[in-house]
Structures are given as structure tokens and as C-alpha cells.
Amino acid sequence: MSILVTRPSPAADELVSRLRTRGQVAWSFPLIEFTPGIQLDILPARLGGLKAGDLVFILSQQAIHYAQPALSRVGMTWPASLNYYAIGRSTALALHAVSGHDVVWPHEQETSEILIQIPALQAVSGKQALILRGNGGRELLAETLLARGAQVEFIECYQRCEKNYHGAEEGRRWRNCGIKTLVVTSGEMLQQLYRLFPDVDRDEWLLHCRLVVVSQRLATLAQELGWADICVAGGADNDALLRAL
């Protein structure tokens, strides 16, 4: 049973390699790619302007990938006096690796819904919160922090860009490869995958594949789009996806 991994590179390539090592037939099919964000130049000043005990949220490893060089260029390090939060384990480890600081992340499930339940985030009135993310994205975290009395600012550290594919050609390609399982790690990519293929491929093949997603929110969206065989992994990192697969 062949597996198609749609998450961006290099995470997709790593997961495919690990699956093949275990004897699985797997392919990488990244739906998006990343470019530097338009607000990287203001990141050092915004980070340096925070007070002790203020909050920094990192919403993906890509944010660190682009933020770290922006800080290094001006000789700045991640301030030790701030409280750091990450959306998941891999992002937390990546931030710890470049900063040396403790990073809090939601162990139960790597989602905004679980992150905002962390006890330390229940009383944030008067604090400044800096959210490092890509272009656009969900607003739940920011809206919740604002409702609890924090001041919130986004920093766009990177941009997500859809990769262009010819849907009919890709439909033939992946059907010929016998793809029966799909790995999708965001709602944006799930909808992009759904739109990509012609109706005949969607109806005869795509919606009949087993779908591995990273949250119940994505599972609900997948059901609404027409998938029936859906598995929710225990996290968004490759270790969790490997366990689910």
C-alpha cells in the first residue's frame, strides 16, 4: 500500500526516507514551499522591546528557520527573560536548540486549542505577546490572548506559497503508483489537495484513500470534504506520523 506525503520539504523527504527504511512504499509530494517573510527586519526590535515575563509564541519550525538568521545578522540572541511557547514538540526542540531556553508546548495534542489550555496562559493580562508565524493562518491563539487581556502582535517570518502542479497528470501518476494512504498536516493543504485533481480522480480515487491528519479539526474538515477513512496522528512531527502509519 503506497503512501503519499504532502507536507513540505525537508520534513516530507525525511518521513518518506524513514518509511522506505521500514519497507513501506512512500513518495513525497509537497504542496507548499516557503520563502522569507516580509517582517523579518522588524523582528529584532520587537523581540528586544519585550519586558521580562512577556510571551513569545513560535507556530512552526519554519518560523525559527527564518527568524534565527534575522537575529544573528544583528548580533542578537533570544532574550532569556521571556516565556517561550511552541505549537508542538519539534518546534519546541528547534527553538531550544538555537536559544538554549526552556520552551513550553502542549503535550496532549499539538494544536492551538490545547496550547491555550496551558495553565500559565490563563492569566496573561497586561503582558505583551509576540506570535512568530507565516502569512495568514488561524486566529484562535491571538483572539484568546486578547480576550484574556494580553497585547498581541504578529511577526510574519515566512510565507507559504502553493506549488503548481497539473492536476490531471498528477492524478494519473499517483493512481498508477497505487497510492492508498495520504498524509496531510494542515487544513490549507487538505483543501489544496482536494481542489487539485479532476472530478473523476477525486471521486474514483482520492476520497477513497486512507487519510492521516494531525488534529481532530482536520479530521472534521476531511469528513466535510468527503473522506471516510481518517486517522488522527498523536502529533504533527514525523515521529507521531510514523507511529500512525
Side-chain angles (χ1 to χ4, degrees):
M1 184 177 295
S2 295
I3 300 166
L4 193 63
V5 179
T6 68
R7 74 182 320 174
S9 296
D13 304 315
E14 185 215 359
L15 181 55
V16 165
S17 177
R18 293 173 68 180
L19 285 165
R20 289 177 175 175
T21 298
R22 287 158 173 77
Q24 300 272 15
V25 179
W27 306 89
S28 174
F29 184 50
L31 292 174
I32 62 173
E33 56 190 355
F34 301 110
T35 57
I38 61 173
Q39 293 181 299
L40 284 170
D41 57 335
I42 68 170
L43 173 61
R46 294 297 193 272
L47 200 59
L50 297 177
K51 302 184 297 295
D54 280 342
L55 317 171
V56 178
F57 295 87
I58 314 289
L59 300 192
S60 77
Q61 294 182 70
Q62 287 300 322
I64 303 164
H65 175 78
Y66 288 102
Q68 179 61 35
L71 298 181
S72 297
R73 280 194 293 272
V74 297
M76 184 177 179
T77 58
W78 300 85
S81 61
L82 305 176
N83 295 319
Y84 293 95
Y85 297 87
I87 196 67
R89 175 178 176 271
S90 295
T91 304
L93 291 174
L95 179 57
H96 176 74
V98 298
S99 71
H101 304 320
D102 291 336
V103 183
V104 178
W105 55 281
H107 292 236
E108 182 182 338
Q109 195 174 47
E110 300 178 357
T111 65
S112 297
E113 286 84 353
I114 304 301
L115 178 61
I116 59 178
Q117 294 177 25
I118 289 175
L121 295 179
Q122 304 311 302
V124 294
S125 181
K127 292 185 180 296
Q128 299 250 22
L130 203 61
I131 299 178
L132 278 56
R133 66 172 189 174
N135 52 314
R138 301 181 66 206
E139 306 295 335
L140 176 64
L141 174 61
E143 290 171 355
T144 304
L145 292 170
L146 286 167
R148 292 173 182 172
Q151 294 178 288
V152 178
E153 182 178 8
F154 292 112
I155 299 292
E156 182 194 291
C157 294
Y158 64 95
Q159 292 193 345
R160 293 181 298 273
C161 308
E162 283 193 15
K163 290 177 71 73
N164 293 318
Y165 294 105
H166 188 284
E169 289 180 5
E170 295 300 336
R172 285 192 296 273
R173 175 187 178 192
W174 297 123
R175 291 179 75 166
N176 289 338
C177 286
I179 296 297
K180 294 292 194 299
T181 298
L182 309 166
V183 177
V184 183
T185 54
S186 80
E188 177 185 7
M189 286 186 281
L190 184 62
Q191 291 172 320
Q192 184 183 347
L193 187 68
Y194 180 86
R195 296 193 308 266
L196 176 61
F197 301 103
D199 290 348
V200 62
D201 292 314
R202 190 185 303 136
D203 296 338
E204 293 181 359
W205 162 67
L206 188 71
L207 293 175
H208 296 283
C209 289
R210 178 181 184 235
L211 186 66
V212 178
V213 296
V214 298
S215 71
Q216 187 55 51
R217 181 179 63 86
L218 283 189
T220 300
L221 175 59
Q223 288 174 330
E224 292 170 353
L225 290 172
W227 272 280
D229 188 359
I230 304 166
C231 169
V232 180
D237 61 283
N238 280 345
D239 288 341
L241 290 169
L242 200 62
R243 286 192 295 272
L245 289 163

